[in-house]
Amino acid sequence: MNANPPRTRIQKKNRSTILDAALEVFSRHGFRGATLDQIAGEAGLSKPNLLYYFPSKEAIFITLLSGLMETWLDPLRELDPSGEPIEELLAYVRRKLQLSRDFPRESRLFANEIVQGAPRMEHLLATDLKSLVDEKAGVIRGWIAEGQIADVDPHHLIFSVWALTQHYADFDVQVRAVLGPGHDPLAEAETFLDTLFRRLLAP
Amino acid sequence: MNANPPRTRIQKKNRSTILDAALEVFSRHGFRGATLDQIAGEAGLSKPNLLYYFPSKEAIFITLLSGLMETWLDPLRELDPSGEPIEELLAYVRRKLQLSRDFPRESRLFANEIVQGAPRMEHLLATDLKSLVDEKAGVIRGWIAEGQIADVDPHHLIFSVWALTQHYADFDVQVRAVLGPGHDPLAEAETFLDTLFRRLLAP
DNA sequence: ATTGTTTTTGACCAAACGGTCAAGATCACG
DNA sequence: CGTGATCTTGACCGTTTGGTCAAAAACAAT
């Protein structure tokens, strides 16, 4: 059996080239909408060559998803129970918004998968994601009990952060179409969301 | 040339059967993920029969999209400039949330299309949608100038309504996975969003 | 019943798809 | 340089896909 981490440097380079190309293509067209030929073209490799590094199209997709889940959860993981509640939550919003700015393809990849019922991800959602959210919801509930922030449902508070921040990555075309030219949606969103959450959370 | 509205009652019935089946399949798998055989199966018709009523797969999809755009914009259209500002906006949120409850397939269909760059819809976004949003943003700006609601960016306020309400339809699997069993996400969302927007908008 | 129109379908097609394979090119290393 | 391992690819395969078509079935009108 081969150890999972690639051995040679050429393997390392090609695997990451493929994953980057796959991210580009999958995030634009979804799993079924993407083709191996597109990914191969984007990566500058031949199709059989892709399948030398990954056993199947689905394997590429799953590798991508699980590698990204970590990045995606990190901002919430960093929420510090011993920090100042309101500033902690606002910092979380900013980190999440930063992901929408820096990794829109990753965001759209997740969105695509979840909108279609997360057939290849439901497990991760019900385990990793749920346990992290439940833990942090507990922290927030503590802050509420201490009267440090307003009384709102912690789970739905977290959902609202996801919805509001990811909207700017996932629905980027719509946002830009409505705003017209001459806007920096993400910059405006940062101000707006800061206001929104300050007003919502003020005790 | 055929007039657009179907002539016979059997045409009327079959076209709507097909569109409903197509909505079911497209919303679950996206445009490319859906197949004519799936739609035909769902509709209880043969594949060539579909293509007797619609010239192509894409024609079915586009018919669906444009028919739905109206439904989708209605809640915003009903925003009454002469009403009580805060209650008007909260009613808009409730109408939008009601769409997520009653028409989750339609919501996911839009989400799917927009996440993938709206290749078949960008035109509608930049015309119909933009002009309606701009108009209503003007109304909101008026309310702000009169000091009836807090000073927030009208466009991003509208985006936040979309993001927060559609999240519960589009990311339903994720919401349910995180909440676990024994929850009514939409009911909880109604309470949460009422609180959120009241606090955001209070002058 | 006859006739003309609308509706339905089985058989079929070319293209695109994910994936295989054997043979060739390139590389690492003594 | 030689040689074994790694890497690359053109040709190919079976299946699925969107779409066609001619002929049959169902319907409508007299």
Side-chain angles (χ1 to χ4, degrees):
Chain A
M1 294 293 161
N2 245 337
N4 251 5
R7 308 221 154 272
T8 77
R9 48 199 87 133
I10 182 163
Q11 270 184 17
K12 208 159 200 157
K13 195 196 68 171
N14 278 351
R15 276 185 66 105
S16 90
T17 301
I18 291 170
L19 287 177
D20 189 72
L23 173 60
E24 184 70 29
V25 178
F26 279 135
S27 72
R28 272 211 308 264
H29 304 289
F31 179 75
R32 280 218 47 182
T35 73
L36 287 177
D37 288 291
Q38 278 178 291
I39 299 174
E42 183 84 23
L45 300 173
S46 67
K47 182 169 65 172
N49 207 1
L50 293 198
L51 295 163
Y52 172 77
Y53 289 102
F54 293 90
S56 69
K57 180 187 179 183
E58 183 149 354
I60 301 179
F61 192 73
I62 290 180
T63 303
L64 214 50
L65 275 186
S66 36
L68 259 43
M69 190 53 113
E70 294 305 299
T71 313
W72 224 238
L73 294 185
D74 271 342
L76 182 54
R77 223 176 251 123
E78 290 175 33
L79 193 79
D80 182 3
S82 63
E84 205 284 306
I86 294 212
E87 292 310 318
E88 277 298 322
L89 287 166
L90 289 176
Y92 170 49
V93 172
R94 279 193 299 272
R95 283 195 297 270
K96 206 72 180 54
L97 204 54
Q98 197 60 32
L99 284 192
S100 284
R101 192 195 289 272
D102 296 343
F103 305 110
R105 300 178 304 175
E106 285 82 344
S107 188
R108 289 199 310 271
L109 186 76
F110 273 114
N112 244 310
E113 184 65 5
I114 293 177
V115 166
Q116 297 185 11
R120 285 161 271 265
M121 229 174 55
E122 221 167 354
H123 176 70
L124 285 179
L125 297 182
T127 56
D128 295 22
L129 179 62
K130 176 170 169 50
S131 68
L132 176 63
V133 171
D134 283 345
E135 173 202 333
K136 297 302 185 181
V139 172
I140 294 171
R141 204 169 289 114
W143 288 338
I144 294 173
E146 297 167 8
Q148 300 204 263
I149 62 172
D151 183 15
V152 293
D153 184 299
H155 282 100
H156 289 270
L157 173 61
I158 292 172
F159 293 156
S160 73
V161 176
W162 294 349
L164 288 165
T165 56
Q166 292 176 199
H167 187 81
Y168 289 93
D170 302 343
F171 291 74
D172 180 67
V173 251
Q174 180 178 261
V175 167
R176 286 179 194 279
V178 168
L179 286 180
H183 283 266
D184 181 349
L186 267 299
E188 299 170 13
E190 192 168 340
T191 309
F192 177 81
L193 294 185
D194 191 88
T195 303
L196 186 151
F197 282 106
R198 268 187 207 284
R199 296 204 184 146
L200 172 63
L201 296 172
Chain B
M1 290 297 158
N2 246 337
N4 250 3
R7 308 219 153 274
T8 77
R9 49 200 86 133
I10 182 165
Q11 270 184 18
K12 208 159 201 158
K13 196 197 68 174
N14 278 351
R15 275 185 68 105
S16 90
T17 301
I18 291 170
L19 287 177
D20 188 72
L23 173 60
E24 184 69 30
V25 176
F26 280 135
S27 72
R28 272 210 308 265
H29 305 288
F31 179 75
R32 280 219 47 183
T35 72
L36 286 177
D37 288 292
Q38 279 178 290
I39 299 174
E42 184 84 22
L45 299 173
S46 68
K47 182 170 63 170
N49 207 1
L50 293 198
L51 296 163
Y52 171 75
Y53 289 102
F54 292 90
S56 69
K57 180 186 179 184
E58 184 149 355
I60 301 179
F61 192 73
I62 290 179
T63 304
L64 252 171
L65 276 186
S66 34
L68 260 43
M69 188 54 111
E70 294 306 299
T71 311
W72 223 238
L73 294 185
D74 272 342
L76 182 54
R77 226 177 246 122
E78 293 175 32
L79 192 80
D80 182 3
S82 63
E84 205 285 305
I86 295 211
E87 292 310 318
E88 277 299 322
L89 287 167
L90 289 175
Y92 170 49
V93 172
R94 278 192 300 271
R95 283 194 298 272
K96 206 74 180 53
L97 204 54
Q98 197 61 32
L99 283 192
S100 285
R101 192 195 288 273
D102 296 343
F103 305 109
R105 301 179 303 175
E106 284 82 346
S107 187
R108 288 200 308 272
L109 186 77
F110 274 113
N112 243 310
E113 184 65 4
I114 293 177
V115 166
Q116 298 185 10
R120 285 161 272 264
M121 229 173 54
E122 220 167 357
H123 176 71
L124 285 179
L125 298 182
T127 56
D128 297 21
L129 179 63
K130 176 169 168 47
S131 69
L132 177 63
V133 170
D134 283 345
E135 174 202 332
K136 297 303 184 180
V139 172
I140 295 171
R141 204 170 289 114
W143 289 337
I144 293 172
E146 296 167 8
Q148 301 204 262
I149 62 172
D151 183 14
V152 294
D153 184 299
H155 282 99
H156 289 271
L157 173 61
I158 291 172
F159 294 156
S160 72
V161 176
W162 294 348
L164 289 166
T165 55
Q166 292 175 198
H167 187 82
Y168 289 93
D170 303 343
F171 291 76
D172 180 68
V173 251
Q174 181 178 261
V175 167
R176 287 178 193 278
V178 168
L179 287 180
H183 283 266
D184 181 350
L186 267 299
E188 298 170 13
E190 192 169 339
T191 309
F192 177 81
L193 294 185
D194 191 88
T195 303
L196 186 152
F197 282 106
R198 268 187 207 283
R199 296 206 183 142
L200 172 62
L201 295 172

